[in-house]
Amino acid sequence: MAIIKHRKEKEQKKILTVQTITKMKNKNHLKRGDFNSNRLFFYLKKVEKLQIKHVNKIKENLYKVGTFNTTFILKGFTDELTVQTNVVINQHLQQEHFFQCVSYYQFVNGNYYIELDNMFWAMTTYIPQMRKVSFTYKRDREAGILLLRALHDTSKNLSLLKNFVPAERNLENWLIRLQRFEHNAALLIDLIEEHTIKDIISYSKQSLLTLQQLPFSKEEEHVLLHGDVASHNFLKGKDEQFYIIDFDLASIGPKEWDYVQFTNRILPSIGWDEKKFLQMPILPNLLKSNKLFRVAITFPMDILREGNKFINGQSIYAAHFLSYYAKTWQLRKKFLTNIINVIK
Protein backbone atom coordinates (compact mmCIF):
# COMPACT_ATOMS: atom_id res chain seq x y z
CA MET A 1 0.00 0.00 0.00
CA ALA A 2 2.82 2.38 0.87
CA ILE A 3 4.41 1.72 -2.54
CA ILE A 4 1.11 2.42 -4.38
CA LYS A 5 0.62 5.63 -2.38
CA HIS A 6 4.17 6.74 -3.19
CA ARG A 7 3.56 6.11 -6.93
CA LYS A 8 0.33 8.11 -6.85
CA GLU A 9 2.10 11.01 -5.17
CA LYS A 10 4.82 10.89 -7.82
CA GLU A 11 2.22 10.91 -10.63
CA GLN A 12 0.39 13.85 -9.03
CA LYS A 13 3.68 15.70 -8.76
CA LYS A 14 4.37 15.09 -12.47
CA ILE A 15 0.92 16.38 -13.45
CA LEU A 16 1.34 19.43 -11.24
CA THR A 17 4.72 20.13 -12.81
CA VAL A 18 3.30 19.95 -16.35
CA GLN A 19 0.37 22.17 -15.40
CA THR A 20 2.72 24.69 -13.80
CA ILE A 21 4.94 24.80 -16.88
CA THR A 22 1.90 25.20 -19.14
CA LYS A 23 0.67 28.11 -17.03
CA MET A 24 4.10 29.71 -17.17
CA LYS A 25 4.22 29.38 -20.96
CA ASN A 26 0.74 30.86 -21.32
CA LYS A 27 1.66 33.69 -18.96
CA ASN A 28 4.71 34.57 -21.05
CA HIS A 29 2.86 34.50 -24.36
CA LEU A 30 0.51 37.39 -25.06
CA LYS A 31 -2.44 36.42 -27.22
CA ARG A 32 -3.85 38.65 -29.95
CA GLY A 33 -6.69 39.83 -27.72
CA ASP A 34 -4.24 41.09 -25.12
CA PHE A 35 -2.74 43.64 -27.51
CA ASN A 36 -5.74 45.96 -27.38
CA SER A 37 -5.91 45.89 -23.57
CA ASN A 38 -2.24 46.80 -23.24
CA ARG A 39 -1.52 50.48 -23.87
CA LEU A 40 2.00 49.81 -25.08
CA PHE A 41 1.05 47.31 -27.76
CA PHE A 42 -2.04 49.33 -28.65
CA TYR A 43 0.32 52.28 -29.31
CA LEU A 44 2.63 50.13 -31.44
CA LYS A 45 -0.32 48.98 -33.53
CA LYS A 46 -2.14 52.27 -33.95
CA VAL A 47 0.67 54.83 -34.03
CA GLU A 48 3.66 52.84 -35.27
CA LYS A 49 1.42 50.79 -37.59
CA LEU A 50 3.11 47.54 -36.61
CA GLN A 51 1.25 44.37 -37.61
CA ILE A 52 2.04 42.33 -34.53
CA LYS A 53 1.67 38.55 -34.86
CA HIS A 54 2.93 37.40 -31.48
CA VAL A 55 4.61 38.63 -28.31
CA ASN A 56 6.73 36.59 -25.92
CA LYS A 57 7.57 37.98 -22.51
CA ILE A 58 11.22 37.20 -21.78
CA LYS A 59 11.19 38.80 -18.35
CA GLU A 60 9.74 41.91 -16.71
CA ASN A 61 9.76 44.83 -19.19
CA LEU A 62 11.46 42.75 -21.89
CA TYR A 63 9.59 41.26 -24.86
CA LYS A 64 10.31 39.47 -28.11
CA VAL A 65 7.85 40.85 -30.67
CA GLY A 66 7.12 39.29 -34.04
CA THR A 67 5.48 41.16 -36.91
CA PHE A 68 4.70 40.04 -40.46
CA ASN A 69 7.97 41.65 -41.60
CA THR A 70 10.48 41.22 -38.78
CA THR A 71 11.18 40.31 -35.17
CA PHE A 72 12.51 42.78 -32.61
CA ILE A 73 13.21 43.16 -28.90
CA LEU A 74 11.11 45.62 -26.91
CA LYS A 75 12.71 46.79 -23.65
CA GLY A 76 11.42 49.10 -20.96
CA PHE A 77 13.76 51.36 -18.98
CA THR A 78 12.85 53.00 -15.68
CA ASP A 79 14.85 56.16 -16.36
CA GLU A 80 15.42 58.22 -19.50
CA LEU A 81 19.16 58.65 -19.08
CA THR A 82 19.79 54.90 -19.24
CA VAL A 83 17.93 54.44 -22.50
CA GLN A 84 19.61 57.53 -23.98
CA THR A 85 23.02 56.14 -22.98
CA ASN A 86 22.28 52.76 -24.56
CA VAL A 87 21.17 54.38 -27.82
CA VAL A 88 24.21 56.67 -28.02
CA ILE A 89 26.68 53.87 -27.19
CA ASN A 90 25.33 51.42 -29.75
CA GLN A 91 25.14 54.08 -32.45
CA HIS A 92 28.68 55.24 -31.68
CA LEU A 93 30.05 51.69 -31.81
CA GLN A 94 28.44 51.04 -35.18
CA GLN A 95 29.75 54.31 -36.55
CA GLU A 96 33.20 53.05 -35.51
CA HIS A 97 32.50 49.79 -37.43
CA PHE A 98 31.83 47.65 -34.36
CA PHE A 99 28.72 45.72 -35.41
CA GLN A 100 28.60 43.06 -32.70
CA CYS A 101 25.92 44.99 -30.82
CA VAL A 102 22.26 45.82 -31.40
CA SER A 103 20.68 48.58 -33.48
CA TYR A 104 17.88 50.80 -32.15
CA TYR A 105 14.79 51.42 -34.26
CA GLN A 106 13.53 54.94 -34.80
CA PHE A 107 9.90 55.63 -33.89
CA VAL A 108 7.61 57.70 -36.13
CA ASN A 109 8.17 60.74 -33.89
CA GLY A 110 11.85 60.67 -34.84
CA ASN A 111 13.06 59.50 -31.41
CA TYR A 112 14.63 56.17 -30.51
CA TYR A 113 12.36 55.59 -27.53
CA ILE A 114 8.89 56.50 -26.31
CA GLU A 115 7.60 57.34 -22.84
CA LEU A 116 4.51 55.54 -21.67
CA ASP A 117 3.18 54.97 -18.14
CA ASN A 118 6.39 56.25 -16.50
CA MET A 119 8.54 53.86 -18.54
CA PHE A 120 10.82 54.51 -21.49
CA TRP A 121 10.48 51.91 -24.25
CA ALA A 122 12.95 51.14 -27.03
CA MET A 123 13.00 48.64 -29.89
CA THR A 124 16.22 46.88 -30.89
CA THR A 125 17.20 44.31 -33.45
CA TYR A 126 16.55 40.69 -32.52
CA ILE A 127 19.60 38.42 -32.76
CA PRO A 128 18.61 34.78 -33.37
CA GLN A 129 20.73 32.71 -31.01
CA MET A 130 22.46 29.45 -31.75
CA ARG A 131 22.53 28.69 -28.01
CA LYS A 132 23.04 30.38 -24.65
CA VAL A 133 26.55 31.50 -23.80
CA SER A 134 28.13 29.73 -20.83
CA PHE A 135 31.52 30.46 -19.30
CA THR A 136 31.90 26.78 -18.49
CA TYR A 137 32.87 26.41 -22.17
CA LYS A 138 36.40 27.42 -23.07
CA ARG A 139 35.31 28.71 -26.49
CA ASP A 140 32.75 31.02 -24.88
CA ARG A 141 35.22 32.40 -22.35
CA GLU A 142 37.73 33.11 -25.09
CA ALA A 143 35.17 34.61 -27.47
CA GLY A 144 33.82 36.80 -24.66
CA ILE A 145 37.16 38.29 -23.66
CA LEU A 146 38.25 38.85 -27.26
CA LEU A 147 34.99 40.67 -27.92
CA LEU A 148 35.65 42.83 -24.85
CA ARG A 149 39.08 43.72 -26.24
CA ALA A 150 37.51 44.65 -29.59
CA LEU A 151 34.97 46.82 -27.75
CA HIS A 152 37.74 48.62 -25.86
CA ASP A 153 39.83 49.12 -29.01
CA THR A 154 36.82 50.54 -30.85
CA SER A 155 35.83 52.94 -28.08
CA LYS A 156 39.10 54.81 -27.56
CA ASN A 157 37.56 57.86 -29.26
CA LEU A 158 35.47 59.07 -26.32
CA SER A 159 34.74 62.67 -27.37
CA LEU A 160 31.01 62.02 -27.91
CA LEU A 161 30.51 59.36 -25.23
CA LYS A 162 31.86 61.53 -22.41
CA ASN A 163 28.71 63.66 -22.58
CA PHE A 164 26.49 60.66 -21.85
CA VAL A 165 28.54 57.97 -20.10
CA PRO A 166 29.73 58.54 -16.50
CA ALA A 167 33.26 57.92 -15.24
CA GLU A 168 33.75 54.60 -13.47
CA ARG A 169 33.38 54.58 -9.67
CA ASN A 170 34.28 51.01 -8.84
CA LEU A 171 36.15 51.69 -5.61
CA GLU A 172 33.31 53.84 -4.24
CA ASN A 173 30.74 51.22 -5.26
CA TRP A 174 32.78 48.38 -3.76
CA LEU A 175 33.13 50.23 -0.47
CA ILE A 176 29.35 50.71 -0.28
CA ARG A 177 28.82 47.04 -1.12
CA LEU A 178 31.26 45.97 1.58
CA GLN A 179 29.70 48.24 4.23
CA ARG A 180 26.22 46.85 3.51
CA PHE A 181 27.49 43.29 3.64
CA GLU A 182 29.30 43.84 6.94
CA HIS A 183 26.34 45.68 8.50
CA ASN A 184 23.97 42.80 7.69
CA ALA A 185 26.42 39.91 8.12
CA ALA A 186 24.45 38.42 11.01
CA LEU A 187 21.58 37.69 8.61
CA LEU A 188 23.82 35.37 6.58
CA ILE A 189 24.85 33.01 9.40
CA ASP A 190 22.45 30.29 8.21
CA LEU A 191 24.17 30.22 4.80
CA ILE A 192 27.80 30.99 5.63
CA GLU A 193 29.70 30.02 8.76
CA GLU A 194 30.60 32.95 11.00
CA HIS A 195 34.37 32.49 10.73
CA THR A 196 34.08 32.44 6.91
CA ILE A 197 32.05 35.66 6.94
CA LYS A 198 34.71 37.34 9.08
CA ASP A 199 37.43 36.09 6.72
CA ILE A 200 35.54 37.40 3.67
CA ILE A 201 35.14 40.83 5.28
CA SER A 202 38.81 40.94 6.30
CA TYR A 203 39.94 39.88 2.83
CA SER A 204 37.68 42.51 1.23
CA LYS A 205 38.98 45.31 3.44
CA GLN A 206 42.62 44.46 2.74
CA SER A 207 42.02 44.31 -1.01
CA LEU A 208 40.10 47.59 -1.03
CA LEU A 209 42.73 49.35 1.09
CA THR A 210 45.50 48.28 -1.28
CA LEU A 211 43.49 49.45 -4.29
CA GLN A 212 42.80 52.82 -2.67
CA GLN A 213 46.53 53.33 -2.20
CA LEU A 214 47.43 52.62 -5.83
CA PRO A 215 48.57 55.67 -7.84
CA PHE A 216 46.00 56.21 -10.59
CA SER A 217 47.45 58.19 -13.47
CA LYS A 218 45.24 60.77 -15.21
CA GLU A 219 47.30 60.06 -18.34
CA GLU A 220 46.11 56.44 -18.37
CA GLU A 221 44.15 55.46 -21.46
CA HIS A 222 40.41 55.27 -20.85
CA VAL A 223 37.88 53.29 -22.84
CA LEU A 224 34.19 52.45 -22.76
CA LEU A 225 33.59 49.89 -20.00
CA HIS A 226 30.61 47.59 -20.37
CA GLY A 227 30.24 47.21 -16.61
CA ASP A 228 28.18 44.00 -16.53
CA VAL A 229 30.05 41.25 -18.36
CA ALA A 230 27.92 38.35 -17.14
CA SER A 231 27.39 35.52 -19.62
CA HIS A 232 23.77 36.56 -20.28
CA ASN A 233 25.02 39.82 -21.83
CA PHE A 234 26.88 37.90 -24.53
CA LEU A 235 24.98 36.29 -27.38
CA LYS A 236 26.10 33.53 -29.74
CA GLY A 237 24.24 34.25 -32.97
CA LYS A 238 23.18 31.72 -35.58
CA ASP A 239 25.58 33.58 -37.87
CA GLU A 240 28.42 32.25 -35.65
CA GLN A 241 29.17 35.79 -34.42
CA PHE A 242 29.40 36.81 -30.76
CA TYR A 243 27.46 39.90 -29.67
CA ILE A 244 27.46 42.06 -26.54
CA ILE A 245 24.26 43.70 -25.29
CA ASP A 246 22.85 45.85 -22.44
CA PHE A 247 25.08 48.80 -21.65
CA ASP A 248 22.93 49.87 -18.67
CA LEU A 249 25.96 49.93 -16.33
CA ALA A 250 28.46 51.35 -18.83
CA SER A 251 31.12 53.80 -17.71
CA ILE A 252 34.42 55.25 -18.85
CA GLY A 253 37.71 54.22 -17.30
CA PRO A 254 40.77 51.94 -17.55
CA LYS A 255 40.02 48.75 -19.50
CA GLU A 256 41.36 46.62 -16.63
CA TRP A 257 38.10 47.09 -14.71
CA ASP A 258 36.12 45.12 -17.31
CA TYR A 259 38.75 42.37 -17.25
CA VAL A 260 38.59 42.24 -13.45
CA GLN A 261 34.84 41.72 -13.59
CA PHE A 262 35.17 39.19 -16.41
CA THR A 263 37.70 37.23 -14.34
CA ASN A 264 35.35 37.32 -11.36
CA ARG A 265 32.59 35.90 -13.58
CA ILE A 266 34.56 33.05 -15.13
CA LEU A 267 36.49 31.74 -12.10
CA PRO A 268 33.51 30.01 -10.43
CA SER A 269 32.66 28.46 -13.83
CA ILE A 270 36.12 26.87 -14.13
CA GLY A 271 36.25 25.80 -10.48
CA TRP A 272 39.14 28.13 -9.67
CA ASP A 273 41.40 26.06 -11.95
CA GLU A 274 44.80 27.75 -12.36
CA LYS A 275 45.65 25.91 -15.59
CA LYS A 276 42.39 26.93 -17.29
CA PHE A 277 42.87 30.53 -16.17
CA LEU A 278 46.44 30.70 -17.49
CA GLN A 279 45.26 29.36 -20.86
CA MET A 280 42.99 32.39 -21.32
CA PRO A 281 43.94 35.18 -23.74
CA ILE A 282 44.88 38.58 -22.24
CA LEU A 283 44.42 37.72 -18.54
CA PRO A 284 47.81 36.09 -17.77
CA ASN A 285 49.63 39.10 -19.25
CA LEU A 286 47.51 41.46 -17.18
CA LEU A 287 48.30 39.43 -14.09
CA LYS A 288 52.01 39.95 -14.69
CA SER A 289 51.99 43.57 -15.83
CA ASN A 290 49.10 45.36 -14.13
CA LYS A 291 48.89 45.78 -10.36
CA LEU A 292 45.33 47.14 -10.43
CA PHE A 293 44.17 43.93 -12.08
CA ARG A 294 46.29 41.75 -9.79
CA VAL A 295 44.88 43.28 -6.61
CA ALA A 296 41.30 43.82 -7.79
CA ILE A 297 40.69 40.15 -8.66
CA THR A 298 41.21 39.36 -4.94
CA PHE A 299 38.17 41.47 -3.99
CA PRO A 300 35.21 39.04 -3.63
CA MET A 301 32.68 41.25 -5.38
CA ASP A 302 30.49 38.29 -6.29
CA ILE A 303 30.04 37.18 -2.67
CA LEU A 304 29.23 40.69 -1.49
CA ARG A 305 26.84 41.20 -4.41
CA GLU A 306 24.89 38.01 -3.80
CA GLY A 307 24.95 38.55 -0.03
CA ASN A 308 23.36 41.97 -0.40
CA LYS A 309 20.83 40.62 -2.91
CA PHE A 310 19.84 37.88 -0.46
CA ILE A 311 19.47 40.35 2.41
CA ASN A 312 17.34 42.68 0.28
CA GLY A 313 15.28 39.83 -1.19
CA GLN A 314 16.29 40.84 -4.71
CA SER A 315 17.10 37.39 -6.08
CA ILE A 316 15.66 33.92 -5.58
CA TYR A 317 19.03 32.48 -6.64
CA ALA A 318 21.19 34.43 -4.18
CA ALA A 319 21.05 31.74 -1.49
CA HIS A 320 22.23 29.10 -3.96
CA PHE A 321 25.15 31.23 -5.13
CA LEU A 322 26.12 32.16 -1.57
CA SER A 323 26.19 28.53 -0.48
CA TYR A 324 28.45 27.67 -3.39
CA TYR A 325 30.77 30.62 -2.77
CA ALA A 326 31.02 29.72 0.92
CA LYS A 327 31.91 26.09 0.13
CA THR A 328 34.60 27.19 -2.34
CA TRP A 329 36.03 30.07 -0.26
CA GLN A 330 39.19 28.18 0.69
CA LEU A 331 39.59 27.00 -2.90
CA ARG A 332 39.35 30.62 -4.03
CA LYS A 333 42.02 31.73 -1.55
CA LYS A 334 44.31 28.90 -2.62
CA PHE A 335 43.88 29.86 -6.27
CA LEU A 336 44.72 33.52 -5.58
CA THR A 337 47.79 32.60 -3.55
CA ASN A 338 49.07 30.16 -6.17
CA ILE A 339 48.37 32.43 -9.12
CA ILE A 340 50.32 35.29 -7.54
CA ASN A 341 53.23 32.92 -6.87
CA VAL A 342 53.22 31.86 -10.53
CA ILE A 343 54.19 35.35 -11.70
CA LYS A 344 56.89 35.94 -9.08
Side-chain angles (χ1 to χ4, degrees), residues 208-270:
L208 199 55
L209 179 62
T210 306
L211 285 168
Q212 289 168 337
Q213 293 173 344
L214 287 181
F216 287 93
S217 171
K218 292 183 179 179
E219 309 267 325
E220 196 169 8
E221 183 180 59
H222 285 191
V223 299
L224 173 70
L225 302 172
H226 182 275
D228 188 12
V229 291
S231 58
H232 60 257
N233 283 329
F234 292 91
L235 303 181
K236 170 76 170 179
K238 288 185 176 180
D239 58 0
E240 298 287 338
Q241 289 285 332
F242 257 71
Y243 296 84
I244 191 165
I245 60 171
D246 288 352
F247 287 85
D248 296 12
L249 300 179
S251 62
I252 290 174
K255 61 189 176 185
E256 287 76 20
W257 284 117
D258 261 352
Y259 293 133
V260 166
Q261 192 184 85
F262 190 85
T263 299
N264 188 266
R265 291 287 186 175
I266 68 168
L267 285 175
S269 298
I270 63 175

Side-chain angles (χ1 to χ4, degrees), residues 133 178 335:
V133 170
L178 173 57
F335 165 86

Side-chain angles (χ1 to χ4, degrees), residues 177-178 180-182 188 191-192 196-197 199-201 203-204 264-265 268 272 298-311 318-319 321-330 332-333 336:
R177 186 177 289 181
L178 173 57
R180 287 175 180 168
F181 184 89
E182 184 175 19
L188 301 172
L191 293 171
I192 309 176
T196 302
I197 292 176
D199 199 22
I200 290 168
I201 292 171
Y203 219 75
S204 302
N264 188 266
R265 291 287 186 175
W272 303 90
T298 67
F299 186 83
M301 67 173 90
D302 50 350
I303 300 179
L304 305 189
R305 179 187 65 237
E306 296 303 327
N308 292 334
K309 281 185 178 180
F310 175 79
I311 291 162
F321 287 127
L322 277 175
S323 296
Y324 173 75
Y325 294 149
K327 290 175 184 175
T328 57
W329 174 244
Q330 294 303 322
R332 178 192 301 236
K333 288 174 65 177
L336 293 170

Side-chain angles (χ1 to χ4, degrees), residues 40-104:
L40 175 62
F41 294 105
F42 183 78
Y43 173 90
L44 294 177
K45 285 183 66 179
K46 296 300 180 182
V47 180
E48 299 296 325
K49 306 299 182 186
L50 294 178
Q51 295 180 307
I52 298 175
K53 288 199 305 181
H54 58 80
V55 176
N56 286 96
K57 184 177 180 180
I58 301 171
K59 61 180 182 179
E60 196 65 29
N61 299 324
L62 188 67
Y63 300 91
K64 175 186 170 186
V65 182
T67 71
F68 287 97
N69 299 318
T70 188
T71 301
F72 61 88
I73 295 295
L74 181 67
K75 181 177 178 179
F77 297 80
T78 54
D79 69 280
E80 190 171 13
L81 182 59
T82 303
V83 66
Q84 287 176 343
T85 301
N86 270 274
V87 171
V88 169
I89 287 174
N90 283 276
Q91 287 183 341
H92 173 80
L93 291 174
Q94 294 192 5
Q95 286 169 4
E96 297 293 323
H97 306 291
F98 180 93
F99 298 109
Q100 289 162 282
C101 57
V102 298
S103 298
Y104 279 76

Side-chain angles (χ1 to χ4, degrees), residues 169-184 208 212 299 304 308:
R169 298 181 57 193
N170 285 297
L171 293 185
E172 295 93 324
N173 292 336
W174 285 6
L175 177 60
I176 293 170
R177 186 177 289 181
L178 173 57
Q179 289 172 338
R180 287 175 180 168
F181 184 89
E182 184 175 19
H183 179 73
N184 296 296
L208 199 55
Q212 289 168 337
F299 186 83
L304 305 189
N308 292 334

